[in-house]
Amino acid sequence: DEIKELVAYAAERYIDVIPEIEMPGHSEAALQCYPEFACTGAESSGVYCAGNDGSFEFLQNIIAEVVELFPYKYLHIGGDEVGKEGWMQCEKCQKRMRTEKLESAEELQSYFVKRMEKFIDSKGKKLIGWDEILEGGLPERAAVVSWRGVEGGIEAVNAGQDVVL
């Protein structure tokens, strides 16, 4: 109810509120409460395990609830500053990389973002993320916020994507 009130208050002032559900990194708080979605065999780095289907189900449940509260077309996932070292040590992530024929941690991040983008699109929203979502391959419907300079914005525009500089 408080979120609905806040969104309505903002809308009266011509402000669109876009939620940001951090993934796959910057998720220390969530993983403290739900450690089963962190990588195994690696020191916790605040990154969801990309080899654990439960991580995706957990995030999809959150997104399904959040999209009902925010009428604007975008849902921001963050996608920046992902510590990929844990993925390279995690058996589940390594298995995912072999199964999906991914050659690098950047491609695994791209897999993660693209998988979430498909779900977000199925909910009628458009994924938006920081320019690190370009690494390893950009989802076809994603928008990019280029915060590390103009290069990421130029790359995304050249790929036909919406960009915020």
Side-chain angles (χ1 to χ4, degrees), residues 11-136:
E12 289 171 3
R13 288 151 182 82
Y14 306 100
I15 298 168
D16 295 314
V17 180
I18 301 171
E20 182 175 350
I21 309 298
E22 289 284 357
M23 65 182 86
H26 285 300
S27 302
E28 293 84 355
L31 293 172
Q32 287 291 317
C33 297
Y34 300 95
E36 64 270 28
F37 304 125
C39 288
T40 55
E43 203 172 300
S44 178
S45 60
V47 178
Y48 287 103
C49 178
N52 181 349
D53 285 329
S55 297
F56 294 99
E57 183 179 344
F58 175 71
L59 289 165
Q60 289 170 348
N61 289 338
I62 292 169
I63 289 167
E65 186 174 327
V66 168
V67 297
E68 296 299 319
L69 300 171
F70 295 90
Y72 196 60
K73 72 177 181 178
Y74 291 107
L75 184 125
H76 204 300
I77 64 148
D80 63 320
E81 302 174 335
V82 178
K84 300 173 185 82
E85 303 81 20
W87 284 349
M88 301 312 290
Q89 299 169 15
C90 174
E91 290 178 26
K92 290 179 183 178
C93 288
Q94 291 302 300
K95 181 179 178 189
R96 174 82 69 203
M97 289 178 72
R98 286 188 302 274
T99 302
E100 298 295 329
K101 297 178 177 56
L102 307 173
E103 296 183 15
S104 67
E106 288 73 23
E107 288 182 4
L108 183 58
Q109 178 172 342
S110 178
Y111 167 85
F112 192 107
V113 173
K114 288 176 179 177
R115 185 166 169 177
M116 294 309 301
E117 189 276 333
K118 286 179 186 169
F119 181 78
I120 291 166
D121 182 64
S122 78
K123 295 295 180 187
K125 301 292 182 182
K126 184 171 183 167
L127 180 145
I128 187 168
W130 301 111
D131 54 23
E132 283 95 330
I133 68 171
L134 290 161
E135 298 169 6

